Amino acid sequence: MSGRISGVQARIRQVIPTATYVHCMAHGLNLALQDATKDITSCVIFFSTLSGLNAYFSASYKRVEEFHRSCKANETVLTGRKRKPQNSSSSTRWAYKSRSVHGLLRDLETYRTCFDAISTNSDQSWTPDCRVTASGFLGKLEDFEFLFLLHLYGKIFDITDVMYKKLQAVNLDLGWAATTVTGGVTQMKSLKEGGLFDEIYDDLVDVQPPIRRFRQRNRRLDDYLHSAPAGDDASLDHRGKMRKLFEEIIDQTVSCLDNRFGDIAELKFCRLLISENFESFKKEFPQPKSEELKKSAYGNLFDIPILKRDLKTLYDDANGAKQLSSKVSDLAADLYSLDLQDQLPELCKLVKLTLTVPLTACSAERSFSALKNYSASKPD
C-alpha cells in the first residue's frame, strides 16, 4: 500500500499527482516506537523482560494473590480496590507498554517483595520453576541497566502518551497533527540536551550501584594478539557507556519519528492556518511556508499573491488569534458563518484543502470494523 516505487500510493499518484498518502497517525506512532527499539539489544532485552514479567502473573491467579499480599506489606493498596499487576502487552500497541512501564515504576518495591517471597519460600507451595523464574525477575529488578531503561522509558512514554491521545482525536486535522508530531520530536530532543541522563544516573547510583563484570581473557589468542589485561573492558567508564546507550535510544527514537511522519513535511504549509502562530506571523509573514505551498503538488491550484493578501488580512485581525481556536475546522466555520468566501477566496480554498487531506484515525478504523460487523449480522 505505502510503497513509494511500486506501491498503491505510487500508482495512484501517477494518475492523480495531488493525491497524498497519509498513514494512520496513531498507528504510525506505534510503529515508530517499535522500530526505535528493535535494533538496540539492551532495549530488546528490556521489553522482552517486561513482557515476560507481565505474562508471569497472567498465568496464575495464585501469583496475583501473592502480589496483593506484597501490596499490603508495602502499604500500597488503593482505597476500595486491589492493586493489580500489569497484563501482557501487545507487540504493536505501545500504549500498553507505557502502562507496563509506569505500573512497574509505581509498584517497583511491591514487585521486589513479591518475587523475593516466592523465590525464598521453603515449603512446597511453589514449584521449582516458579521459584527460579521469580529469582530471575528479582535479579532483573535490581539490575542497574534495567532500572536505568525503566526510568528513561518512563520519561519517553510521558511524551508519546500525550502524542498518542492527540493523534486519536476524532476531529484531527493536518495542522493539529503536524503541530503534535513536531512538538513531540522537540520534547524528545530536549531529553538529550537537558540534564535527564545525569538525573537518572545519579539517583540510581545512590540507590543501586552498578555491578562491575570482568570479562575473562581468552588465553588461546595470546600467541596472535597482544590482548589487554583481564578486566580492562570492565574498567572503562560505566557512566560513559550508559550515556552512549541513552543518546542512542533518544537519537533512534527521533530518527524513527522523522521517518514515519516524513510525509507531513511535504504539507508544512498547513501551519499557515494554526492560530497559535498568528501573532508571530503578524510581525513577520511566513514566506518560506507559502513558498512550500507553491512548490507542492497543490501549488497550481492557488493564486499565491492573492493568498498572501488573504493571509495577511487574517493575521492583521487583532482579535483573530484570541477568538479563533487552533483547530482549522473552527476557522472554517468562522469564515463561512461570516460569509467571507468572496472576500477571502484563496484563504477559504486553503482551509478546504487542509481539511480534506486524509488523516485516518483509530476512530475511523473502528467505525469501519463496526460497519463490517453490522453488515455480516444483517439478514439478506
Side-chain angles (χ1 to χ4, degrees), residues 152 155-157 159 185-197 246 250:
L152 173 57
K155 297 295 184 180
I156 290 176
F157 285 144
I159 297 173
V185 171
T186 301
Q187 286 183 288
M188 203 72 68
K189 291 179 180 178
S190 69
L191 296 180
K192 180 180 175 180
E193 297 168 357
L196 179 62
F197 171 80
F246 171 84
I250 299 297

Side-chain angles (χ1 to χ4, degrees), residues 268-275 277-294 302-318 320-321 324 328 331 335 340 343-354:
K268 288 182 179 180
F269 59 82
C270 66
R271 299 177 187 176
L272 292 166
L273 300 177
I274 298 177
S275 62
N277 300 330
F278 285 179
E279 288 292 340
S280 61
F281 289 168
K282 179 180 178 181
K283 299 176 183 177
E284 182 179 357
F285 186 81
Q287 187 68 27
K289 291 182 175 58
S290 62
E291 291 298 326
E292 289 170 359
L293 173 59
K294 184 177 180 180
F302 292 90
D303 187 329
I304 300 299
I306 296 179
L307 176 61
K308 290 181 180 180
R309 181 205 65 187
D310 293 351
L311 288 171
K312 288 181 179 179
T313 301
L314 176 66
Y315 301 153
D316 289 341
D317 182 2
L324 296 174
V328 180
L331 173 60
L335 289 173
L340 297 176
Q343 289 80 3
L344 304 172
E346 296 300 312
L347 175 59
C348 292
K349 190 185 298 184
L350 179 60
V351 168
K352 288 190 289 184
L353 171 62
T354 304

Side-chain angles (χ1 to χ4, degrees), residues 44-302:
V44 173
I45 296 174
F46 170 77
F47 284 107
S48 297
T49 303
L50 200 63
S51 298
L53 187 150
N54 296 333
Y56 181 81
F57 288 98
S58 301
S60 171
Y61 185 75
K62 180 181 177 182
R63 299 170 190 172
V64 176
E65 285 297 310
E66 183 63 39
F67 182 84
H68 292 159
R69 286 192 288 271
S70 300
C71 284
K72 294 180 180 179
N74 288 281
E75 298 181 352
T76 57
V77 179
L78 294 177
T79 305
R81 62 186 178 92
K82 292 181 178 180
R83 181 89 80 188
K84 294 182 180 180
Q86 297 297 312
N87 296 324
S88 298
S89 56
S90 169
S91 59
T92 55
R93 300 186 67 178
W94 281 70
Y96 289 103
K97 295 187 184 294
S98 172
R99 296 176 192 174
S100 297
V101 167
H102 287 107
L104 184 56
L105 279 171
R106 179 192 63 207
D107 295 326
L108 184 59
E109 289 303 320
T110 299
Y111 277 99
R112 285 174 173 170
T113 302
C114 178
F115 287 132
D116 182 65
I118 295 175
S119 61
T120 59
N121 189 279
S122 58
D123 56 31
Q124 302 298 320
S125 58
W126 300 102
T127 64
D129 287 345
C130 183
R131 293 174 60 187
V132 169
T133 305
S135 177
F137 281 129
L138 180 60
K140 272 296 181 183
L141 296 184
E142 294 176 348
D143 180 70
F144 185 91
E145 183 177 288
F146 182 88
L147 293 175
F148 180 86
L149 292 177
L150 183 66
H151 285 81
L152 173 57
Y153 274 102
K155 297 295 184 180
I156 290 176
F157 285 144
D158 284 342
I159 297 173
T160 58
D161 284 350
V162 176
M163 294 175 62
Y164 193 75
K165 185 175 181 179
K166 290 182 178 180
L167 293 176
Q168 290 190 94
V170 177
N171 57 345
L172 180 69
D173 59 57
L174 189 58
W176 186 247
T179 302
T180 299
V181 173
T182 304
V185 171
T186 301
Q187 286 183 288
M188 203 72 68
K189 291 179 180 178
S190 69
L191 296 180
K192 180 180 175 180
E193 297 168 357
L196 179 62
F197 171 80
D198 294 326
E199 176 186 341
I200 296 176
Y201 189 91
D202 293 339
D203 289 344
L204 287 177
V205 164
D206 294 338
V207 178
Q208 193 73 33
I211 300 175
R212 294 184 61 184
R213 294 183 175 86
F214 295 91
R215 182 176 296 176
Q216 193 171 14
R217 179 179 170 186
N218 189 344
R219 298 185 180 278
R220 290 179 296 179
L221 299 178
D222 284 354
D223 295 336
Y224 304 97
L225 299 174
H226 298 286
S227 58
D232 271 14
D233 288 343
S235 65
L236 294 176
D237 181 23
H238 180 268
R239 191 185 193 94
K241 291 181 179 180
M242 296 307 299
R243 182 181 290 278
K244 182 180 179 181
L245 176 61
F246 171 84
E247 293 178 351
E248 183 181 7
I249 291 173
I250 299 297
D251 291 341
Q252 186 75 358
T253 303
V254 171
S255 175
C256 289
L257 287 173
D258 288 338
N259 291 336
R260 281 288 172 182
F261 297 104
D263 290 339
I264 297 183
E266 301 176 3
L267 305 171
K268 288 182 179 180
F269 59 82
C270 66
R271 299 177 187 176
L272 292 166
L273 300 177
I274 298 177
S275 62
E276 296 174 354
N277 300 330
F278 285 179
E279 288 292 340
S280 61
F281 289 168
K282 179 180 178 181
K283 299 176 183 177
E284 182 179 357
F285 186 81
Q287 187 68 27
K289 291 182 175 58
S290 62
E291 291 298 326
E292 289 170 359
L293 173 59
K294 184 177 180 180
K295 296 176 182 178
S296 71
Y298 305 102
N300 60 345
L301 302 177
F302 292 90

